[in-house]
Amino acid sequence: MSGSCYDAAMAEALAEARLSLTDGDVPVGAVVLDPEGAIVGRGHNRREAAHDPTAHAEILALREATASAETWRLDGHTVVVTLEPCAMCAGAILQARVPRLVFGAWDDKAGATGSKWDLVRDGRAGAKVEVISGVREDECAALLTDFFEGRRP
């Protein structure tokens, strides 16, 4: 599938990312789509508000999706996130058996799905995740750039 198929889902992830701003957190948002394409999980960074280092957008969206599905296995689902997942989130995607990941902006510092590392396609992990990158990349990256520029003195 091409990235343009995920424009609407990425718009929802971007809306989630903007919610992170109210807590002063890095604006990252995620949604989980079921096999039919319906959103079954949503999340945005809440590390600051929750005082929880694991409260990343992807983790929160996966938790909501697994609760909705009443199983930890998300076969056939897709994670759509505004920023390339870190190692923790890439591991959670693997553990949940998610077969497809769609993201917007690359994370050259901590990305673990193709830039710095590629955990989700590492043969040693025993699973392969289809990765579609660059969906609404400029918009996703601009949200992050604006956030960090606003924090610099």
Side-chain angles (χ1 to χ4, degrees):
M1 283 190 163
S2 74
S4 63
C5 296
Y6 296 103
D7 279 349
M10 187 60 77
E12 294 293 324
L14 280 159
E16 284 292 322
R18 289 181 188 96
L19 295 174
S20 300
L21 296 171
T22 61
D23 297 325
D25 215 325
V26 178
V28 177
V31 295
V32 178
L33 308 176
D34 71 9
E36 289 75 40
I39 295 174
V40 294
R42 294 175 178 273
H44 58 276
N45 274 0
R46 299 212 53 213
R47 295 172 308 162
E48 298 297 332
H51 310 292
D52 180 356
T54 69
H56 286 208
E58 301 94 328
I59 300 294
L60 299 176
L62 286 168
R63 287 177 183 160
E64 188 173 293
T66 57
S68 172
E70 297 182 340
T71 179
W72 60 270
R73 291 178 175 265
L74 296 177
D75 302 309
H77 288 64
T78 300
V79 171
V80 179
V81 61
T82 58
L83 180 66
E84 178 186 7
C86 68
M88 176 182 68
C89 294
I93 289 166
L94 284 171
Q95 290 299 311
R97 309 295 194 263
V98 173
R100 185 175 306 104
L101 166 68
V102 177
F103 70 86
W106 290 94
D107 184 350
D108 294 331
K109 292 181 183 175
T113 62
S115 62
K116 191 89 171 159
W117 302 281
D118 197 352
L119 298 178
V120 297
R121 293 179 288 197
D122 188 322
R124 296 171 291 182
K128 301 267 186 205
V129 176
E130 176 187 7
V131 176
I132 300 170
S133 60
V135 176
R136 298 178 76 158
E137 181 175 6
D138 292 342
E139 192 175 351
C140 293
L143 187 59
L144 292 159
T145 299
D146 291 347
F147 173 79
F148 287 112
E149 283 181 355
R151 297 177 80 76
R152 292 190 182 111

